[in-house]
Amino acid sequence: MRLHLSKGILGAARSLFTSIRVTLHLSYFVVILLGITLVGTVSFYVSYQSMLERVESASFQIVRQIEKNMDNDFQNKRNLLLAPYYNQEYIDGINAYATMDEQAQFLFRQKIGDLFLKSFNITPIRDFKRFQIYYSSGELLNASDAYKAIAAKDVQNADWFRQTVAKDGRVHFNAPLTSTPAETGEAAYSSSLLIRDFSNPVNFVIVRAEYNDELFRSIGQNDNLSASSRIVILNEHNQQVYSSSERPDTASEPGMLSLINSESGKFWYGTGQEERLVAYTRSDYSNWKVVLVTPKKEIFGPLDQIKTTTLVTALIAFVVTLCISLLFGRSITNPILDLYKTVNRVKRGDFSVRVHVKRSDEIGRIATNFNDMQDELQTLIESKYIYQIKLQQVELAMLYSQINPHFLYNTLDSIKAMADYYKVEDIGDMAQSLADMFRYNTKSKDEVVTLRDELEQIDAYMNIQRTRFEDKLAYELDIEEELYTFAILKMTLQPLVENAVFYGVEQKLGKSTIRITARKEDNHMLLTISDDGVGMSGERLQEIYARLGEPFYMEHLPVAASEGGIGLRNVYARYAIRLGDQFEFQIDSQAGHGTSVTLKLSAENSLTKPQ
């Protein structure tokens, strides 16, 4: 049941698409759909690429600018830490601190503390929180506010302390502040600098200043970043120092952090709706990285308007196309349908019908040409076609009644020659054979005979030819017994055997043999007339095949043997007229090796066997 239902639906769909009107409407839809799809796709792609390039470039410029602003701020903070170098008294005090008495050390601690208090107050820094001053032994010399006492040994072992010593005069920025007990409050990062006499590497102090994240927060506000974008500051170990987002997800994404591994760059991270553009750069001054993370959906949000516009345009175009196709499609398809109906009437045999031409466009010109073709076709049917049929009938009548004049002349010459030598018996045989041939041609009006009847005719013909040529010509038969009653057309063999004698044997020096064979192959009879005469060239064979393939109405029909005879072409034409595709005709020949002509006739052919 389902199979029949599916076949019915499929058949209905196929019949629907055979309508030119439906095809025309669908063509409109497909053209509009492809056009809108192509324009929309190209527009979307161009917009996407243009926006992508602008966003990537803008993101990279933003992180570059943030990095420059951050470096400028860090350099200013470093300059404040260099205050002791502007007064040799502080450098001398650093060198002598270890040998001072307690009172002198106290005074030095107060003095150097006041120096940095004055420096940070004269040049106020908005995100400054506090500072500490440590001696090379880890001893805290001074601090800007209360602090928790830490053992000097612990200070010396702190990572930030060792990193500052290792940088030997270059500022060290440290974050996040989680490794030292003294680091409390709202400080986000610190900068520390080693200060010493360049001639005394043993005695030094380290000044450490702590800051909150106001600098980083102001960066995000000044750059007018979107709500979903965020700025991330990473230290030299790719640890998060600051994130403008409250979500601490950057530090928990090792995949993203592993890609931030060069001086600068940009890449897309994530999949689907979570895909983000990541642009970053590394500061040569602090070795910290500035990272800008922007969600893709926020970048390409405006492209949704293009999608919506494209869909609305496509819908409008479809509606307009439907109206146009309904209004104008009928004016195009109706004349074509009229032409189709007229062609069907011609197909049924009504050659008098004509198309009513009401247009001057291509369809009208087709209709006009069709009418002209009908007029010419009717003329051909009434004249050339009927005339050619009559010619074929005349040719067949000639075939039954005509004896090749060349054959008659030679026969009479032979009779005269034998009479000269008084060979009365031979003259009688030849005359009897000639009489038998005339009798065969005139005794019956039947066009279809048996193979046996044709072979009797050929026996009479070959008796005459053997008398003419004496020992030069031999004649052989190889016929399967059951094929003697096979129905063939009258005068099938005589023209072919005559061709073999005239064109093959007569032109050859020495003895020749003509052989007729008939054998059964599957459901066919193969009838072959062969000779071992002079044969013919390949070019001549091609000419004969070309002539056999010509339409009958194009050929010039010979009316006498002197014009080329009525041999091969007539035998072929008669079978082609009667049997069509139910027979095959083959000629094989090679110069110097003879010629063979084979007819392949189906046992189920439409010839009527004689009773």
Side-chain angles (χ1 to χ4, degrees):
M1 181 66 181
R2 292 181 179 177
L3 180 60
H4 290 301
L5 181 60
S6 62
K7 287 184 177 179
I9 295 174
L10 184 60
R14 288 178 177 174
S15 62
L16 181 64
F17 281 99
T18 58
S19 170
I20 190 171
R21 185 171 298 170
V22 174
T23 304
L24 189 61
H25 293 170
L26 289 178
S27 299
Y28 288 154
F29 292 149
V30 170
V31 170
I32 294 297
L33 177 62
L34 290 178
I36 293 176
T37 302
L38 181 62
V39 172
T41 302
V42 172
S43 300
F44 183 81
Y45 177 78
V46 172
S47 302
Y48 180 89
Q49 292 297 325
S50 177
M51 186 173 294
L52 179 64
E53 292 176 1
R54 289 200 303 269
V55 168
E56 289 182 349
S57 176
S59 298
F60 198 71
Q61 292 299 325
I62 289 174
V63 295
R64 282 288 192 190
Q65 188 60 46
I66 292 175
E67 180 246 336
K68 290 180 179 179
N69 294 339
M70 188 176 69
D71 284 352
N72 290 336
D73 187 84
F74 282 0
Q75 287 178 2
N76 292 333
K77 293 173 180 177
R78 171 185 175 276
N79 293 336
L80 293 177
L81 299 180
L82 294 175
Y85 283 112
Y86 299 115
N87 192 331
Q88 184 63 35
E89 179 182 356
Y90 294 101
I91 301 301
D92 295 338
I94 292 172
N95 289 334
Y97 182 80
T99 61
M100 292 180 183
D101 56 26
E102 290 184 3
Q103 184 176 0
Q105 289 180 341
F106 175 79
L107 293 174
F108 179 76
R109 290 197 298 270
Q110 291 294 329
K111 188 174 182 179
I112 197 171
D114 292 341
L115 172 66
F116 282 104
L117 280 175
K118 186 184 297 183
S119 297
F120 283 105
N121 288 328
I122 293 175
T123 309
I125 300 177
R126 56 186 175 180
D127 56 348
F128 171 73
K129 294 294 293 181
R130 63 183 68 87
F131 71 84
Q132 301 96 34
I133 305 172
Y134 294 92
Y135 193 59
S136 56
S137 62
E139 175 188 354
L140 178 64
L141 300 183
N142 205 328
S144 60
D145 58 2
Y147 64 95
K148 182 179 180 180
I150 302 173
K153 191 68 173 177
D154 292 337
V155 173
Q156 281 187 317
N157 291 332
D159 181 70
W160 69 266
F161 190 91
R162 290 186 282 106
Q163 291 288 339
T164 305
V165 173
K167 290 191 175 182
D168 192 23
R170 289 180 292 115
V171 66
H172 171 63
F173 294 93
N174 180 45
L177 303 181
T178 57
S179 59
T180 305
E183 297 164 352
T184 58
E186 299 176 356
Y189 69 97
S190 68
S191 63
S192 53
L193 182 70
L194 182 146
I195 300 174
R196 66 175 177 84
D197 187 353
F198 294 107
S199 62
N200 184 3
V202 177
N203 297 323
F204 57 83
V205 296
I206 291 180
V207 183
R208 183 171 188 250
E210 297 179 5
Y211 310 91
N212 59 29
D213 60 359
E214 184 177 348
L215 168 65
F216 306 130
R217 285 188 281 108
S218 64
I219 289 175
Q221 295 172 355
N222 293 337
D223 286 289
N224 297 320
L225 299 178
S226 62
S228 299
S229 299
R230 69 180 187 274
I231 295 175
V232 179
I233 308 297
L234 303 177
N235 65 16
E236 57 190 352
H237 303 296
N238 270 16
Q239 295 174 321
Q240 181 173 301
V241 176
Y242 168 80
S243 174
S244 61
S245 173
E246 295 181 358
R247 295 168 51 198
D249 54 354
T250 305
S252 62
E253 293 187 70
M256 178 188 293
L257 295 178
S258 65
L259 298 175
I260 306 175
N261 54 11
S262 59
E263 296 292 325
S264 62
K266 55 182 179 294
F267 59 89
W268 289 93
Y269 182 78
T271 56
Q273 295 296 322
E274 298 299 323
E275 191 172 9
R276 291 155 286 175
L277 173 62
V278 180
Y280 68 94
T281 183
R282 185 181 67 84
S283 168
D284 292 333
Y285 187 75
S286 63
N287 281 335
W288 286 10
K289 296 184 181 72
V290 179
V291 183
L292 175 61
V293 182
T294 308
K296 182 179 181 179
K297 59 183 178 181
E298 184 168 314
I299 296 174
F300 298 107
L303 291 181
D304 292 336
Q305 298 179 358
I306 297 179
K307 293 181 181 179
T308 303
T309 303
T310 302
L311 293 176
V312 172
T313 304
L315 180 61
I316 295 174
F318 278 131
V319 173
V320 172
T321 301
L322 179 61
C323 295
I324 292 175
S325 62
L326 292 176
L327 290 176
F328 299 104
R330 187 179 298 274
S331 64
I332 296 175
T333 57
N334 282 347
I336 298 176
L337 292 176
D338 292 339
L339 181 60
Y340 168 74
K341 293 176 182 178
T342 304
V343 171
N344 269 345
R345 292 181 62 181
V346 174
K347 181 180 178 181
R348 292 193 295 268
D350 185 3
F351 295 100
S352 63
V353 67
R354 298 294 184 268
V355 181
H356 297 289
V357 181
K358 301 178 181 179
R359 317 167 60 106
S360 59
D361 56 8
E362 289 82 355
I363 298 177
R365 290 195 288 272
I366 291 174
T368 302
N369 290 339
F370 177 81
N371 290 338
D372 294 341
M373 182 188 69
Q374 281 291 94
D375 295 337
E376 185 175 356
L377 181 61
Q378 190 164 4
T379 301
L380 289 174
I381 291 174
E382 293 175 354
S383 59
K384 293 185 178 181
Y385 181 65
I386 296 175
Y387 176 68
Q388 292 299 327
I389 292 176
K390 294 298 183 182
L391 284 180
Q392 292 293 330
Q393 293 173 349
V394 170
E395 181 187 12
L396 293 177
M398 290 174 59
L399 182 64
Y400 296 143
S401 62
Q402 181 179 342
I403 299 297
N404 193 320
H406 177 79
F407 169 70
L408 290 177
Y409 299 154
N410 290 330
T411 301
L412 293 175
D413 287 343
S414 298
I415 294 174
K416 181 179 181 299
M418 287 186 289
D420 291 340
Y421 286 97
Y422 305 103
K423 296 181 179 179
V424 179
E425 184 177 355
D426 290 339
I427 294 174
D429 291 340
M430 182 175 286
Q432 182 63 51
S433 296
L434 186 58
D436 291 341
M437 292 183 62
F438 276 111
R439 190 177 300 109
Y440 179 78
N441 284 314
T442 59
K443 72 176 180 178
S444 174
K445 298 297 183 181
D446 292 334
E447 186 182 354
V448 179
V449 297
T450 64
L451 178 59
R452 187 189 306 277
D453 296 333
E454 279 289 284
L455 291 174
E456 290 176 356
Q457 158 81 340
I458 296 303
D459 285 339
Y461 176 81
M462 291 305 299
N463 284 336
I464 297 173
Q465 295 293 12
R466 280 197 297 266
T467 303
R468 285 184 58 213
F469 293 102
E470 297 180 346
D471 294 335
K472 181 180 180 181
L473 178 62
Y475 169 56
E476 297 179 357
L477 291 177
D478 183 10
I479 310 296
E480 293 184 8
E481 187 65 28
E482 61 181 302
L483 297 178
Y484 277 105
T485 59
F486 199 93
I488 61 176
L489 294 179
K490 190 177 182 180
M491 293 296 288
T492 295
L493 294 179
Q494 194 272 334
L496 301 179
V497 173
E498 182 179 359
N499 271 357
V501 173
F502 186 77
Y503 294 108
V505 174
E506 191 168 314
Q507 300 180 27
K508 178 183 176 182
L509 298 177
K511 186 176 181 179
S512 298
T513 300
I514 293 178
R515 181 181 181 86
I516 299 177
T517 62
R519 59 187 178 85
K520 190 172 183 180
E521 183 180 273
D522 297 331
N523 198 32
H524 295 80
M525 179 187 74
L526 298 182
L527 181 60
T528 302
I529 299 89
S530 61
D531 66 77
D532 56 358
V534 296
M536 67 182 78
S537 65
E539 291 77 6
R540 175 59 181 161
L541 186 61
Q542 291 298 325
E543 291 177 5
I544 294 176
Y545 268 119
R547 188 182 176 197
L548 292 179
E550 291 179 356
F552 298 140
Y553 66 84
M554 294 179 60
E555 69 173 325
H556 167 69
L557 295 174
V559 296
S562 60
E563 296 185 49
I566 50 177
L568 287 175
R569 175 62 174 165
N570 268 281
V571 173
Y572 173 82
R574 291 167 62 207
Y575 277 97
I577 293 172
R578 291 292 298 269
L579 299 182
D581 295 334
Q582 292 182 329
F583 93 107
E584 296 180 15
F585 195 83
Q586 181 177 347
I587 306 173
D588 296 307
S589 184
Q590 188 175 359
H593 295 279
T595 303
S596 67
V597 178
T598 301
L599 281 80
K600 184 176 182 180
L601 303 174
S602 170
E604 305 298 330
N605 62 63
S606 58
L607 296 178
T608 302
K609 295 184 179 181
Q611 300 297 323

